[in-house]
C-alpha cells in the first residue's frame, strides 16, 4: 500500500484545512486508517482513526469537536477536515494504514504498517 497525504498549508488561527490521504495498491475501505501528527521536537501523536471493520471513528481529546475523519470509497481516500485550527495544531500530518490494529492500540503509531510522506500544516496566531 502506498499512501499520499495532501492538503496541508498555512492558515490563520480559526481557519480550516482539509487533508486527504490517497492510496494505491489496495482498497482502503477495510483498513484501519489513522491520522497522526508530529511537531518539531515532539513525538508523533495520535489525531484520529477510522476503523476498517466497524467504521467507528475515534479522536484525540485535543481535536475532538474540531476535526472530522471521513472515508470516500469512490476515491479510495480518507480525509481529515480540520476546523477552528489553533497554533498548537501546527505539525506535519501523516496518514497511516493497517489491515487491522487491535482496539487498544489504535492510537499507537507503531502498530501501523503503512505511512504516507506527511503534509505540513502551519497555523499562525
Amino acid at each position: 500500500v502506498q499512501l499520499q497525504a495532501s492538503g496541508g498549508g498555512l492558515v490563520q488561527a480559526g481557519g480550516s484545512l482539509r487533508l486527504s490521504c490517497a492510496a494505491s495498491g489496495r482498497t482502503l475501505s477495510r483498513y484501519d486508517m489513522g491520522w497522526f501528527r508530529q511537531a518539531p521536537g515532539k513525538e508523533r501523536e495520535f489525531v484520529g482513526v477510522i476503523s476498517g471493520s466497524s467504521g467507528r471513528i475515534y479522536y484525540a481529546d485535543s481535536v475532538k469537536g474540531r476535526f472530522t475523519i471521513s472515508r470516500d470509497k469512490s476515491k479510495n481516500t480518507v480525509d481529515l477536515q480540520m476546523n477552528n485550527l489553533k497554533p498548537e495544531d501546527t505539525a506535519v500530518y501523516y496518514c497511516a494504514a493497517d489491515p487491522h490494529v487491535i482496539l487498544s492500540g489504535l492510537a499507537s503509531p507503531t502498530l501501523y504498517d503503512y505511512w504516507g510522506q506527511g503534509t505540513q500544516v502551519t497555523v499562525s496566531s
Side-chain angles (χ1 to χ4, degrees):
V1 178
Q2 292 184 327
L3 304 176
Q4 179 82 23
S6 62
L10 173 64
V11 64
Q12 289 187 332
S16 299
L17 281 174
R18 188 176 185 90
L19 306 184
S20 185
C21 180
S24 59
R26 287 287 192 278
T27 299
L28 295 180
S29 59
R30 293 188 177 274
Y31 278 65
D32 294 327
M33 296 296 302
W35 283 97
F36 294 81
R37 65 187 182 186
Q38 189 165 19
K42 295 188 177 181
E43 293 186 353
R44 193 165 296 189
E45 69 169 353
F46 171 74
V47 173
V49 61
I50 180 167
S51 168
S53 57
S54 68
R56 291 182 178 177
I57 303 173
Y58 305 91
Y59 298 98
D61 288 343
S62 59
V63 306
K64 202 172 293 183
R66 300 187 297 123
F67 290 12
T68 303
I69 292 175
S70 60
R71 194 190 293 272
D72 188 329
K73 293 183 180 180
S74 65
K75 296 180 180 179
N76 202 29
T77 61
V78 174
D79 295 342
L80 179 66
Q81 177 67 41
M82 305 185 295
N83 297 328
N84 191 21
L85 283 161
K86 304 176 181 180
E88 52 264 42
D89 294 319
T90 295
V92 177
Y93 282 70
Y94 299 89
C95 59
D98 196 272
H100 177 68
V101 179
I102 58 174
L103 183 61
S104 61
L106 286 173
S108 174
T110 60
L111 298 184
Y112 290 78
D113 283 345
Y114 306 102
W115 289 84
Q117 85 290 0
T119 184
Q120 176 71 47
V121 172
T122 303
V123 185
S124 62
S125 56

